[in-house]
Amino acid sequence: MMRITKPSIFYGVLLLVFTIISCKENKKESQSEMETAKTESTQNPIEETIFGEMPDGTKVKKFTLKNEAGMEVDVITYGGIITRWTAPDSNGAYEDIVLGFDDLNQYLEGNPYFGALIGRYGNRIANGKFSLDGETYTLAKNDGDNHLHGGEKGFDKVVWDGVAKTTEEGAAVELTYTSEDGEEGYPGKLDVKVTYTLTDDNALDIQYEAVTDKPTVVNLTQHSYFNLSGQLSEPVLDHKIYLNADTYLPVDGGLIPTGEFREVAGTPFNFKEPKPIGEEIEAENEQLSLGGGYDHCWVLNNGEEDFRLAASAHHGETGRLLEVYTNEPGIQFYSGNFLDGTLPSKTGGTYVKRSGFCLETQHYPDSPNQADFPSVRLNPGETYSSRTMYKLSTK
Ligand code: BGC
């Protein structure tokens, strides 16, 4: 039989106390480890890497924004381009849903504004001319007789400064660019800031701001081509589009609005109820033939708030639903009619006709020349401010 002596009781108690204390410590440690991991993940660290180099040696950075749900958005400082955006389908499988490339050189070789920030003026200005305070400004005619998306070297082709930000709303990247007075023919030095924030509820919130030192015109937008199927080389004709608009702007042969606000009711331009892109795209219709499909600006209905649901797109097979919210008066719905299968897709194959669609929030095309359209003028002392949110879910 074991004899229990006083010293052994003493050592036993000591051991017990020690074990209890060290257990508590361990627990504290692992708790604090958990806390660190949690802080890190709620802060959603942003990865910053080099995407490539410009011909003059300027480095192009890539920021990978991540959220708690597992979504990832890659933004590069060249053109503020979104090069990759992963979204879950109804089974939780993540796939890339935007057209683009993995390599900077492919962007430099030329492409139809894949994923880019567009400025100073998104969309067209007739004959590359407009007047402000009696002075006429001449811009590049880089789309037939007209000026398109900011000119020969718009904001989609410049290298922005990029800074990663962890905010309460989510991982963010702040891009800034100074467009000098006279750049691409526009008056005034324009300081532009665009912030992309990825929230935990799978929304990419885009805030645009600009200030000028002379009266000028501004209309900024984002030119992502979406294909919610994740099969980026497949046509998007099966996606159902909803547009919160009773009227749209018919265009002339150069895709410049005629000035008319036309009712969508009873025409292929009616997306007040979700409808597949392909349902009426080949219908006999003068406006569809001018655009080679949909390539028009819809006049958004006003909601109770300025920032309202403008559009949505739904892909039935994967369940992916994209909703677009904005405080802008218009949205250009472009069904990728000019994609022609010459550019290679990230997922194999090529970007064939209508393998992506754009929902570009904006003021109306050619506003500087159309007195009845909401003004796009920016004066010194004012701040241009525009917000658009692309939100993904499944249904
Ligand atoms: C325009 C199209 C144009 C495309 C550029 C869109 O915003 O509406 O007409 O072809 O950008 O590829």
Side-chain angles (χ1 to χ4, degrees), residues 235-242 268-271 273-284 288 292-294 314-315 333-337 353-357:
V236 288
L237 298 172
D238 56 349
H239 288 56
K240 280 189 178 167
I241 298 287
Y242 159 76
F269 289 78
N270 188 356
F271 287 93
E273 292 297 328
K275 178 175 79 185
I277 296 177
E279 191 166 303
E280 292 180 281
I281 202 167
E282 301 295 351
E284 272 296 311
L288 281 175
Y294 298 106
H314 184 234
H315 184 249
F333 165 45
Y334 169 52
S335 50
N337 315 309
K353 184 171 176 177
R354 300 182 181 146
S355 54
F357 64 89

Side-chain angles (χ1 to χ4, degrees), residues 216-290:
T216 191
V217 295
V218 189
N219 191 27
L220 306 178
T221 192
Q222 222 294 332
H223 211 290
S224 281
Y225 287 70
F226 294 95
N227 186 326
L228 303 178
S229 75
Q231 305 303 307
L232 302 179
S233 57
E234 295 294 321
V236 288
L237 298 172
D238 56 349
H239 288 56
K240 280 189 178 167
I241 298 287
Y242 159 76
L243 297 172
N244 179 15
D246 294 337
T247 56
Y248 77 105
L249 303 174
V251 292
D252 67 14
L255 300 185
I256 298 290
T258 58
E260 180 192 344
F261 289 66
R262 191 176 291 173
E263 290 284 329
V264 295
T267 79
F269 289 78
N270 188 356
F271 287 93
K272 291 201 286 184
E273 292 297 328
K275 178 175 79 185
I277 296 177
E279 191 166 303
E280 292 180 281
I281 202 167
E282 301 295 351
E284 272 296 311
N285 178 284
E286 189 214 8
Q287 284 298 316
L288 281 175
S289 35
L290 288 171

Side-chain angles (χ1 to χ4, degrees), residues 1 19 27 89 95 133 154 166 221:
M1 214 177 117
T19 317
K27 205 171 158 200
D89 66 9
E95 276 174 311
D133 304 329
T166 39
T221 192

Side-chain angles (χ1 to χ4, degrees), residues 334-352:
Y334 169 52
S335 50
N337 315 309
F338 298 118
L339 297 170
D340 60 5
T342 50
L343 297 169
S345 150
K346 283 183 280 186
T347 51
T350 60
Y351 294 126
V352 298

Side-chain angles (χ1 to χ4, degrees), residues 70 99 106 136 145 163 194 212 226 242 298 317 374:
L99 275 54
Q106 288 178 297
T136 300
D145 283 339
V163 180
V194 179
T212 181
F226 294 95
Y242 159 76
W298 271 254
E317 217 177 297

